[in-house]
Amino acid sequence: DIQMTQSPSSVSASLGDRVTITCRASQGISSYLTWYQQKPGKAPKLLIYAASTLQSGVPSRFSGSGSGTDFTLTISSLQPEDFATYYCQQANNFPRVTFGGGTKVEIK
Amino acid sequence: EVQLLESGGGLVQPGGSLRLSCPASGFTFSNYAMSWVRQAPGMGLEWVSTISGGATSTFYADSVKGRFTISRDNSKNALYLQMNSLRAEDTAVYYCAKAYMTTTGTVGFDYWGQGTLVTVSS
């Protein structure tokens, strides 16, 4: 199985801050990397797929980059509705996807 | 509007069985693979199982293989998960999720249900 490692596990940030979350795959996955946002008590929401393609309706302050084994999710200017947990997921061998452990973005 | 609505969760004793259902609407159900993804309390996401659109192929995580069975009824636009020999470690919110197919391949899940909680405890 492909292991996905996210860091940090949590980050405290203020409104307007730039936040970067990293995700590392245990083996190369090309650009088959998807990011989700999850708020408490809610289902995950797909934000970015193919490492850098923004899903329709997702604000442009979200961006993704990377290929191979190393990926990043960046929020350029943190908004109140962005406080949530973010997960990366590899789709290199769909349907056997695996998720990272999550990064909780908290208010500083 | 795509809607997925899980049901069937509840409290069950270790070794017991439960069947989850997920009726779907708002898309051509038979055209898409469907999956179950679970989340233990306070933990991350874990893929459980996937079934192809025509129900010809099924896939399972090692942690549930031989105990869980995924199925679908395309005439009823519904997805199911039969869970047998349940263990405490199966306690989680179970989500049904629609596969997201793009020009570069299937990349994950674009629609999720609200989840149904399964608690395995004596």
Side-chain angles (χ1 to χ4, degrees):
Chain A
D1 287 2
I2 300 173
Q3 308 302 317
M4 305 300 294
T5 304
Q6 278 183 245
S7 62
S9 57
S10 67
V11 58
S12 295
S14 302
L15 293 178
D17 282 355
R18 181 183 183 89
V19 173
T20 298
I21 298 167
T22 65
C23 180
R24 175 165 289 176
S26 61
Q27 64 188 71
I29 59 171
S30 185
S31 296
Y32 290 100
L33 194 283
T34 300
W35 290 98
Y36 299 89
Q37 175 194 67
Q38 187 180 33
K39 296 183 178 179
K42 300 295 186 181
K45 172 187 174 183
L46 191 152
L47 296 177
I48 289 170
Y49 63 93
S52 61
T53 302
L54 207 62
Q55 176 68 335
S56 176
V58 174
S60 59
R61 62 181 179 273
F62 291 92
S63 64
S65 65
S67 67
T69 59
D70 294 311
F71 302 86
T72 61
L73 171 70
T74 299
I75 309 172
S76 61
S77 177
L78 202 62
Q79 299 302 301
E81 59 269 29
D82 301 337
F83 292 97
T85 300
Y86 294 84
Y87 293 93
C88 63
Q89 170 236 292
Q90 65 80 17
N92 187 64
N93 55 343
F94 189 93
R96 299 185 184 281
V97 303
T98 47
F99 295 87
T103 297
K104 187 174 184 179
V105 177
E106 299 175 299
I107 301 173
K108 193 171 187 178
Chain B
E1 179 192 6
V2 171
Q3 289 194 338
L4 301 170
L5 192 63
E6 304 93 338
S7 63
L11 174 64
V12 61
Q13 292 188 338
S17 298
L18 217 51
R19 188 192 195 211
L20 306 183
S21 300
C22 178
S25 61
F27 63 103
T28 305
F29 185 69
S30 59
N31 285 356
Y32 295 91
M34 295 293 295
S35 299
W36 291 96
V37 177
R38 68 184 180 183
Q39 186 169 35
M43 303 295 284
L45 301 165
E46 180 189 15
W47 170 75
V48 173
S49 183
T50 296
I51 186 167
S52 62
T56 54
S57 300
T58 57
F59 307 85
Y60 298 94
D62 289 344
S63 57
V64 306
K65 198 168 186 177
R67 301 187 298 122
F68 289 12
T69 301
I70 191 171
S71 62
R72 65 192 295 162
D73 186 337
N74 286 344
S75 69
K76 296 182 179 179
N77 289 350
L79 176 71
Y80 306 100
L81 186 67
Q82 177 67 42
M83 304 185 294
N84 298 333
S85 302
L86 283 161
R87 306 166 180 167
E89 54 265 36
D90 295 318
T91 294
V93 173
Y94 285 73
Y95 295 100
C96 68
K98 171 184 167 291
Y100 187 30
M101 297 188 296
T102 71
T103 55
T104 56
T106 305
V107 298
F109 313 106
D110 57 349
Y111 289 95
W112 300 62
Q114 86 290 346
T116 187
L117 176 62
V118 172
T119 303
V120 184
S121 175
S122 55

